[in-house]
Amino acid sequence: MEFFRKTLDPVIALAAIAVMDIFLFLIVGAWTVGGGETMMTGLIAQLFLGDDLKRLPFWELVFPPHADYWKIYISLGMLFGAFVGAVLSKEFYWRIPRRASEWLLITIGGLLMGIGIRLAFVCNVSTFFGMGAEMNLGGYLAISGIIAGAWVGSLIYKKILEG
Amino acid sequence: MSPVAECLVAFLFGSAVGLLVQRSRFCNTAALRDAIMFKTYRNTKALLVAMMILSIGFTGFMTIGAGHPMNFDVGLNTFAGLFLFGIGMVLAGACTVSTWVKTGEGNLGAAWALLFTFVGMFLFSLVWSWNYWPPAPASMTGEPNLEALQLGFANARTLQDKLGIPAVVFGFIQSAVLFAIYRAILRRERAQQAQHEVHQKEAVEAQAA
């Protein structure tokens, strides 16, 4: 099938996603990833800590862990959809970063993303595909923040690349 | 709608998104990073088109009170959080979407980034449990609360309620601004292409001479 042989124009892909996102907005709420990831964090922590997790008010007042939270399934769906796409287009293979410095950057980057999402109460997806499009004041704050952050991140990255 | 049905709809939506992002190689990180570092706009254009469609779609339904817009207070934490996120996504080379999509393609680095996103979230939950900032949704008021560095809540619908102008009008204005940025990018790409062709021509002529 042509779809699995050629790379799709991202403008077409994102236009299709935007139309589906409008339907999702009408049914449950706009596309988001950070909320589902937080709930998964809570569920995993509960698995390890059991009732001890209740000693942290965050998991009582902000995100009481429960598995029937719809946002979790967007993320699991993306994992599944991407896996199917990669297998059918013969693009699935194990990719492992080679250098220790790459692992270090990924670790720091992942931590900053997790802390940033929770500090802001939104992720990059909600920023552009939810709040920003709803013209929420937070959307403009978040877009300014992520552009400033990406700029600083690019400066750091350039410095590292140049050694 | 029952929670199970909501989860099913979310899974179907996520699967379609995962497939489309995998096939198109769209990346939100690249949409910002490549525009800043390399002055290339493949992903930026896609992001702008999606936002144009969504701005009109969301505000259109918000005009008639339909849909589920996000409803919580924002403030300094919104800017600061996404600032940290912006640095993180460039260092990790992936955002929330591409960590899931690249993990689905077998990228163990992306899975590692995802794992540490979870760790970061858990670390933040420890700090929050100590200082309770930013305010939890249950204690949000919708009004500015400067002591907690919160600006309150406002979106296209609150503008409609305050000013009597339909929310979709603001949506069209936002889309027009986004379209102007899109046009500026196209002009820039054409200029880059023209310059590239001149360089190529000069190189061919130099070789011939």
Side-chain angles (χ1 to χ4, degrees), chain A residues 24-121:
Chain A
L24 195 72
F25 171 77
L26 289 172
I27 301 169
V28 276
W31 179 23
T32 175
V33 183
E37 289 185 345
T38 310
M39 196 57 92
M40 282 188 245
T41 303
L43 290 167
I44 295 166
Q46 200 175 40
L47 211 65
F48 283 104
L49 300 173
D51 277 349
D52 275 347
L53 191 67
K54 290 195 172 128
R55 287 165 56 193
L56 292 173
F58 180 87
W59 302 107
E60 285 280 298
L61 299 172
V62 188
F63 268 92
H66 58 98
D68 59 353
Y69 188 56
W70 60 273
K71 293 175 185 175
I72 295 174
Y73 299 90
I74 293 183
S75 297
L76 297 181
M78 289 194 300
L79 183 69
F80 173 72
F83 175 71
V84 170
V87 168
L88 292 179
S89 54
K90 300 193 174 63
E91 287 172 1
F92 183 92
Y93 56 91
W94 297 109
R95 299 158 168 93
I96 305 164
R98 294 268 169 257
R99 290 188 305 247
S101 59
E102 283 179 77
W103 285 101
L104 181 67
L105 280 180
I106 294 170
T107 308
I108 297 169
L111 282 172
L112 285 176
M113 287 198 283
I115 294 167
I117 289 172
R118 281 303 6 120
L119 180 61
F121 274 101

Side-chain angles (χ1 to χ4, degrees), chain B residues 121-183:
Chain B
M121 286 176 165
F122 188 75
L123 290 178
F124 184 83
S125 79
L126 295 176
V127 178
W128 194 93
S129 299
W130 167 66
N131 69 1
Y132 292 82
W133 190 79
S139 60
M140 286 174 175
T141 59
E143 296 300 323
N145 173 4
L146 296 182
E147 212 175 299
L149 304 170
Q150 295 289 291
L151 294 172
F153 171 72
N155 67 13
R157 177 67 202 205
T158 61
L159 278 180
Q160 173 177 324
D161 296 341
K162 274 204 180 101
L163 305 174
I165 300 167
V168 72
V169 173
F170 301 109
F172 271 108
I173 295 171
Q174 173 155 297
S175 288
V177 172
L178 293 169
F179 184 65
I181 300 171
Y182 184 81
R183 287 267 308 265

Side-chain angles (χ1 to χ4, degrees), chain B:
Chain B
M1 190 179 256
S2 73
V4 175
E6 285 182 355
C7 294
L8 194 66
V9 167
F11 185 79
L12 288 174
F13 172 82
S15 302
V17 168
L19 186 65
L20 287 166
V21 171
Q22 197 278 328
R23 293 311 305 132
S24 67
R25 314 247 174 288
F26 172 76
C27 178
N28 195 178
T29 306
L32 300 178
R33 181 199 59 204
D34 294 356
I36 293 168
M37 279 178 81
F38 310 115
K39 311 283 177 232
T40 57
Y41 305 96
R42 178 182 183 268
N43 293 286
T44 321
K45 285 186 291 182
L47 181 65
L48 287 169
V49 167
M51 279 194 77
M52 281 184 243
I53 296 170
L54 289 172
S55 296
I56 295 170
F58 285 174
T59 57
F61 283 109
M62 283 158 76
T63 305
I64 54 168
H68 298 81
M70 280 178 225
N71 191 348
F72 51 83
D73 290 359
V74 297
L76 180 70
N77 61 303
T78 319
F79 176 85
L82 266 294
F83 177 74
L84 292 180
F85 185 97
I87 298 175
M89 72 174 189
V90 173
L91 297 186
C95 64
T96 49
V97 180
S98 41
T99 46
W100 287 104
V101 170
K102 287 179 181 174
T103 301
E105 290 178 322
N107 187 324
L108 292 182
W112 188 255
L114 201 52
L115 176 69
F116 277 86
T117 303
F118 290 173
V119 173
M121 286 176 165
F122 188 75
L123 290 178
F124 184 83
S125 79
L126 295 176
V127 178
W128 194 93
S129 299
W130 167 66
N131 69 1
Y132 292 82
W133 190 79
S139 60
M140 286 174 175
T141 59
E143 296 300 323
N145 173 4
L146 296 182
E147 212 175 299
L149 304 170
Q150 295 289 291
L151 294 172
F153 171 72
N155 67 13
R157 177 67 202 205
T158 61
L159 278 180
Q160 173 177 324
D161 296 341
K162 274 204 180 101
L163 305 174
I165 300 167
V168 72
V169 173
F170 301 109
F172 271 108
I173 295 171
Q174 173 155 297
S175 288
V177 172
L178 293 169
F179 184 65
I181 300 171
Y182 184 81
R183 287 267 308 265
I185 287 176
L186 289 185
R187 268 201 301 275
R188 190 169 208 164
E189 281 184 333
R190 273 198 293 271
Q192 282 173 343
Q193 182 64 27
Q195 210 175 19
H196 179 69
E197 279 165 15
V198 169
H199 284 314
Q200 262 189 334
K201 215 172 163 186
E202 279 172 0
V204 170
E205 280 169 2
Q207 249 182 355

